[in-house]
Amino acid sequence: MNPRTPKSAPAMASPTRPDNYVLVVFGATGDLAKRKLLPGLFRLAAGGLLPKQYRIIGSAPRQFSLSDSDFKKHAKDAVEEFGGITPTPEAWQNFEAALSFASADPDDTAPLLAAVDLAEKEIGSKPRRLFHLAVPPAAFRSMVELLGASKLNVGSRIIIEKPFGTDLASAVALNKTVHSVFDESQVFRIDHFLGKESVDNILALRFANQLFEPVWNRDHISHVQIDVPETLSIEGRANFYDATGAFRDMVVTHLFQVLGVIAMEPPSKLTAEALRNEEVKVFDALVSINPKHVVRGQYEGYLQEDGVAPNSTTETMVAVEAKIDNWRWSGVPFYLRSGKSLGANRQVVTLGFRQPCLKMFAIDRESKGSGSGGEIVIDFGDPGSITSNFLAKEPGPVMRLGRASMVFEYQNSFNAANELEGYEHLILEAMLGDQSLFTRADGIERLWEVSAPLIENPPPVEPYARGTWGPDSINRLIAPHAWHLPET
Ligand code: NAP
């Protein structure tokens, strides 16, 4: 993700403000809470986007319990380090007055129950409750059961972090546990890519304009790329990464979700139900991944990283050809690539257009790009941009074509101060009860189902040098097209 420039708190774009809330962050001492949740909650509060009355209870297992004052200090450090904003004394005092800490363990829920009770009494007249499970996936189940056993589930909402399962069987089992305690309408499975302004903007681009949607189909598009390379290596997260790999970590969660937004049919209206129905229809039409159309790479030196198994075959990058068997996309391959220690940090969707049916012009190789009939490039890294690449006549006496582009850049076009970071956006939507940007049980299960052939029978990993774009076979995978990245 691109570094965010320091900015002020986001301004309130709509008068909708959530009802009064008690928010419990399980895993409040963890990395996600420090880097995203606590800074995000402060920015929402400073921007006037949190409810009029709210309390935030940090929670962790008993052995890691903090005092209220230690938690407040932890939160302030997190906001200063990761919030891109220096709190004014007044804004900080208001925010920290809402913070407290309570431990929670399956065999001892008393401290949490007492903290929630106190927070509710302080706010008065029955505030809503939201629980955010920012804990390791192995703890999702026990946290859900704890909420059920203590009756805190009643009338509450719950945000569940990714990854939701590691294969079809585990996702089905986790959904079963969740549904034994919560109704689906209470559940918000988070994928922070869906909280990005620029991913939302794909919906606006497609469905608020008559320009693009008529060509957004197999008649005009030759192929689609969803490319999310990262320069970071596994950065000391071997325990998690070696058991997970690039496919589970990035493709099943983030990249397939972006595919859902790119490929969906126009929803009949902008409601959570209509949007998620269309997204799940895309997932239903996905053809099971063929391992022969997948490249798994492992960066050189991975096996020497601390904590990695000496003979690990975990992939640190993956490129997948996905197919959608429906009227709009039949015959159009979708290429999904992501991984560690690659050549750049980018988040890019490219739609390559077919060549015009009448070849009036000689097109030299240089002017081809990844779509020789032009391309639409959606950069959904924050703050994001949309570029249309096409061919134009170069000035001069001969009819010679050169590459030209039209660019829309978010940061130069609107008031960037109103931008919400993915987590800020999603926490706000969960408080408002809008599930549009959250994955549904059947959708996530279907994604694991189409992934099963690859998970069960993965091709061998191929080495690649750090800082490159993966093993050479990624180019054979996408041929006769070419990867849009790196941009030359
Ligand atoms: P983390 O740094 O390991 O922190 C996890 C938190 O959960 C800590 O507060 C930890 O307490 C607590 N915890 C550990 N075991 C627990 C258990 N059995 N029961 C209850 N609480 C327990 O992990 P993280 O990076 O914050 O990730 C948390 C979740 O967010 C994961 O599901 C992850 O996949 C997801 N996520 C993280 C990121 C990210 O950037 N970090 C991004 C996207 C999604 P102690 O600190 O006291 O051990």
Side-chain angles (χ1 to χ4, degrees):
M1 192 174 291
N2 296 338
R4 294 170 60 225
T5 45
K7 54 175 69 108
S8 56
M12 180 139 66
S14 99
T16 316
R17 203 169 178 177
D19 299 335
N20 293 343
Y21 257 98
V22 174
L23 167 62
V24 178
V25 180
F26 289 114
T29 54
D31 180 68
L32 180 67
K34 186 165 74 177
R35 290 194 308 110
K36 296 286 182 190
L37 306 185
L38 294 167
L41 285 164
F42 174 74
R43 277 173 40 83
L44 287 173
L49 292 163
L50 283 190
K52 281 200 175 114
Q53 296 268 2
Y54 66 91
R55 295 289 183 277
I56 298 167
I57 302 171
S59 186
R62 185 174 40 224
Q63 68 269 35
F64 302 110
S65 189
L66 299 179
S67 66
D68 285 354
S69 59
D70 283 348
F71 180 53
K72 289 176 187 190
K73 177 166 183 331
H74 177 74
K76 188 159 192 213
D77 292 345
V79 170
E80 287 177 346
E81 188 175 354
F82 296 104
I85 183 171
T86 307
T88 62
E90 192 195 354
W92 181 255
Q93 268 168 20
N94 288 340
F95 184 69
E96 92 170 347
L99 302 182
S100 63
F101 198 90
S103 66
D105 288 279
D107 60 351
D108 183 10
T109 53
L112 179 66
L113 283 167
V116 171
D117 188 51
L118 177 64
E120 290 185 349
K121 286 200 174 110
E122 284 173 357
I123 293 176
S125 56
K126 270 275 160 233
R128 288 184 181 274
R129 290 182 207 132
L130 176 64
F131 297 98
H132 192 140
L133 301 196
V135 295
F140 289 166
R141 189 173 161 187
S142 64
M143 293 288 102
V144 168
E145 287 170 349
L146 176 155
L147 291 169
S150 58
K151 303 273 184 290
L152 284 170
N153 60 325
V154 179
S156 303
R157 290 175 178 149
I158 182 168
I159 297 178
I160 304 177
E161 271 302 325
K162 69 125 211 179
F164 197 91
T166 52
D167 56 16
L168 178 59
S170 57
V172 169
L174 184 54
N175 272 329
K176 204 167 162 206
T177 302
V178 169
H179 289 152
S180 69
V181 175
F182 291 96
D183 183 77
E184 181 67 20
S185 63
Q186 298 171 275
V187 182
F188 295 76
R189 292 176 198 79
I190 211 161
D191 183 313
H192 64 266
F193 270 40
L194 289 184
K196 285 166 165 287
E197 297 273 9
S198 46
V199 172
D200 250 6
N201 195 34
I202 297 172
L203 293 176
L205 176 84
R206 291 189 55 192
F207 304 134
N209 301 290
Q210 182 65 14
L211 182 57
F212 302 103
E213 196 50 25
V215 296
W216 207 271
N217 56 52
R218 66 189 304 275
D219 295 335
H220 301 276
I221 306 286
S222 64
H223 74 290
V224 179
Q225 302 176 28
I226 302 174
D227 204 359
V228 184
E230 293 179 286
T231 54
L232 282 181
S233 66
I234 59 166
E235 306 289 312
R237 293 169 69 222
N239 266 355
F240 160 76
Y241 201 86
D242 205 37
T244 307
F247 182 75
R248 285 187 169 96
D249 187 34
M250 294 299 291
V251 176
V252 182
T253 50
H254 306 315
L255 273 64
F256 274 152
Q257 297 303 328
V258 176
L259 177 145
V261 178
I262 291 288
M264 70 166 61
E265 296 299 314
S268 54
K269 42 190 180 302
L270 203 59
T271 61
E273 190 188 2
L275 272 165
R276 299 204 304 174
N277 282 346
E278 294 307 334
E279 194 183 54
V280 173
K281 278 189 215 163
V282 172
F283 299 159
D284 280 342
L286 268 175
V287 178
S288 289
I289 302 297
N290 181 346
K292 288 191 183 141
H293 297 163
V294 173
V295 174
R296 294 169 71 241
Q298 191 182 74
Y299 65 76
E300 287 165 2
Y302 176 72
L303 295 180
Q304 282 74 52
E305 299 269 18
D306 268 353
V308 168
N311 51 358
S312 169
T313 56
T314 298
E315 77 286 356
T316 58
M317 73 78 55
V318 68
V320 173
E321 183 188 273
K323 289 183 175 157
I324 302 171
D325 207 1
N326 66 14
W327 274 69
R328 184 185 286 261
W329 295 115
S330 178
V332 180
F334 282 65
Y335 297 102
L336 282 52
R337 172 172 65 175
S338 186
K340 302 287 186 193
S341 287
L342 294 178
N345 265 334
R346 295 291 300 275
Q347 301 177 342
V348 178
V349 175
T350 305
L351 294 100
F353 281 85
R354 294 188 189 284
Q355 287 198 6
C357 46
L358 186 61
K359 289 189 195 152
M360 292 167 57
F361 304 98
I363 300 174
D364 60 43
R365 277 193 70 74
E366 255 176 53
S367 51
K368 274 190 174 178
S370 69
S372 44
E375 31 177 48
I376 292 176
V377 181
I378 302 168
D379 188 327
F380 62 99
D382 297 327
S385 64
I386 299 171
T387 303
S388 173
N389 290 326
F390 56 97
L391 296 172
K393 181 190 173 299
E394 287 182 5
V398 275
M399 188 53 154
R400 190 184 141 86
L401 301 183
R403 288 193 87 177
S405 54
M406 293 187 284
V407 186
F408 156 80
E409 283 182 331
Y410 240 105
Q411 67 183 355
N412 298 330
S413 306
F414 293 110
N415 183 357
N418 288 347
E419 179 201 349
L420 290 180
E421 194 273 339
Y423 271 102
E424 294 166 12
H425 189 187
L426 292 171
I427 291 170
L428 191 58
E429 293 295 311
M431 283 187 162
L432 291 167
D434 188 331
Q435 295 177 304
S436 302
L437 301 175
F438 296 86
T439 50
R440 209 167 66 187
D442 52 348
I444 192 82
E445 287 179 13
R446 173 66 186 156
L447 292 178
W448 285 117
E449 187 180 35
V450 299
S451 303
L454 175 62
I455 290 173
E456 286 160 14
N457 195 12
V461 284
E462 302 171 46
Y464 63 95
R466 290 175 190 236
T468 62
W469 295 85
D472 284 347
S473 41
I474 56 164
N475 297 317
R476 290 193 286 281
L477 179 78
I478 201 171
H481 313 293
W483 291 99
H484 175 80
L485 294 176
E487 280 154 345
T488 46

